[in-house]
Amino acid sequence: MNAKIKGAVLLAVLAAWNAQAAFDPPTRAELKAAAEDVSKVVELLKDASIDQSAEVAKDVVIQVVKLDLDIKERDSRATSVVGYLFMSMPRDKWKDLAISFAKFIAASPTASMDPSLLSALQRAIIEVAGMDGANVFGNAYNLAMQTVAGAPGGGKTVPPQPPPPPVALPYEGQRLL
């Protein structure tokens, strides 16, 4: 390779590395603060990629679930988290965001355990991204629940039982009583 191409490749790699380094994952205290004041989610999503944003939103939803709230308040806060999540990304990335968010939610027993919460999350996606976004989320969630190990109701079947141990046959000199 000539020196100009090597230099261009090196600059591209450094630029990509710096772009990834710009996002700082939030601390547990920041996640808890965002669960208590949902508007703080916007700060946590700054400079995040699609997957990073989806994971942060899932983590905030988990913190919301851990708060001592009645179901309506919990679902309302979770709905707000989803709204901030989608509004933090350009519209052309919403499909990918819905898929990523569904995978993270499905992988979390805390976030996927309650049907009311799941319904609230999907309603929020309908409000922001429309039925297409909600369908993408629902399909990705269902697929993830079938493939993610340990997810509640994950569609996992019981692994096949091992065959029974071989029957012990008497060997030479042994008598069966």
Side-chain angles (χ1 to χ4, degrees):
M1 258 200 267
N2 79 32
K4 287 183 182 181
I5 294 175
K6 285 182 184 179
V9 169
L10 180 61
L11 287 175
V13 169
L14 287 175
W17 184 67
N18 284 335
Q20 289 292 335
F23 176 73
D24 290 324
T27 64
R28 187 178 306 266
E30 290 172 322
L31 293 170
K32 189 172 182 180
E36 292 169 357
D37 179 7
V38 182
S39 65
K40 292 182 179 182
V41 170
V42 175
E43 297 171 18
L44 301 181
L45 299 176
K46 187 176 181 184
D47 298 326
S49 69
I50 290 172
D51 289 337
Q52 291 166 334
S53 294
E55 185 173 19
V56 168
K58 181 261 312 176
D59 290 341
V60 174
V61 168
I62 289 171
Q63 292 302 317
V64 167
V65 169
K66 289 181 179 180
L67 294 175
D68 187 25
L69 303 170
D70 66 351
I71 292 174
K72 287 184 180 179
E73 178 64 23
R74 179 201 65 193
D75 292 352
S76 174
R77 287 189 193 197
T79 298
S80 296
V81 170
V82 172
Y84 286 124
L85 170 66
F86 277 82
M87 295 316 242
S88 72
M89 287 285 162
R91 184 176 287 271
D92 64 331
K93 306 248 187 233
W94 284 1
K95 182 177 179 181
D96 295 332
L97 183 60
I99 292 169
S100 182
F101 186 56
K103 289 177 183 178
F104 280 110
I105 291 294
S108 169
T110 304
S112 65
M113 191 68 75
D114 189 335
S116 169
L117 180 62
L118 288 174
S119 179
L121 295 175
Q122 193 154 19
R123 276 192 321 269
I125 294 171
I126 290 170
E127 290 175 13
V128 177
M131 282 305 293
D132 289 339
N135 287 336
V136 167
F137 172 82
N139 291 336
Y141 176 83
N142 287 334
L143 181 62
M145 288 301 282
Q146 293 172 7
T147 58
V148 174
K156 293 290 188 184
T157 57
V158 177
Q161 297 298 318
V167 176
L169 298 174
Y171 56 91
E172 188 178 334
Q174 180 184 20
R175 282 194 255 161
L176 295 176
L177 298 175

